[in-house]
Amino acid sequence: MSNTAPFQPAASWLDQPRAYSGVRTRRMMAFLVDYSIVLLLCIPAFFVVGLLGIVTFGLGWMLYAILFPLVALPYVSFTLGGSAQATPGMRLFDLRLERLDGERVDIGMGAAHSILFWVAGTLTSGFIVLLALFTPRKQLLQDLLLGTVVVRRS
């Protein structure tokens, strides 16, 4: 009989405590940067919708009601689903979105992540972000539901 221990795989970056060091604060700062960018992107979209409203005899102006989500959803989806797996704000603060199963985050996952964040935030008046204080990996509801986690870049 051998006294050798069974093979133990190398610890993943997602299991390291330093992967989550300062993530909550960095995530909030990244949010502020990203949504400042979205607000800036809404300026040209405002004029496009205005022209569309003129061309459609006023019907296009109904898009003003959903202008912010119309700009924010593609912004978040395509940046989270891109090669960096992070929005520009997240990259600025050295963060990335990882899937717990090791797969890459795609555009659909980025869209679902954003939609779940806004739905949960709306239904709980924003108090859902307090969940990050009680989860070991500092995850929010959308992270728990989608099997994702925001970590510092390794």
Side-chain angles (χ1 to χ4, degrees):
M1 200 182 249
S2 173
N3 286 339
T4 60
F7 174 73
Q8 295 289 332
S12 164
W13 172 247
L14 299 180
D15 297 327
Q16 302 295 319
R18 68 179 187 264
Y20 306 101
S21 175
V23 164
R24 279 188 296 256
T25 303
R26 291 168 180 262
R27 198 170 183 177
M28 287 187 298
M29 298 305 289
F31 173 84
L32 293 174
V33 168
D34 285 325
Y35 282 89
S36 295
I37 294 170
V38 169
L39 283 173
L40 288 174
L41 292 173
C42 282
I43 295 169
F46 180 86
F47 291 109
V48 170
V49 170
L51 290 173
L52 185 62
I54 292 170
V55 171
T56 62
F57 302 108
L59 283 175
W61 290 328
M62 289 190 283
L63 290 174
Y64 281 129
I66 60 167
L67 185 62
F68 187 83
L70 199 62
V71 173
L73 188 61
Y75 172 84
V76 173
S77 301
F78 284 102
T79 56
L80 284 181
S83 61
Q85 293 186 187
T87 62
M90 290 171 71
R91 279 184 267 167
L92 180 67
F93 290 97
D94 203 31
L95 298 173
R96 68 183 286 130
L97 183 68
E98 295 277 348
R99 287 177 51 170
L100 295 175
D101 63 5
E103 297 292 320
R104 293 195 52 76
V105 175
D106 59 4
I107 295 169
M109 178 74 75
H113 198 269
S114 182
I115 291 168
L116 284 172
F117 171 74
W118 284 108
V119 168
T122 301
L123 293 176
T124 64
S125 300
F127 286 107
I128 198 69
V129 297
L130 296 176
L131 184 62
L133 296 173
F134 305 104
T135 56
R137 291 182 170 171
K138 302 175 183 179
Q139 293 169 292
L140 297 176
L141 181 64
Q142 70 272 16
D143 298 319
L144 294 170
L145 292 175
L146 295 173
T148 60
V149 66
V150 175
V151 295
R152 295 181 72 165
R153 292 176 186 252
S154 55

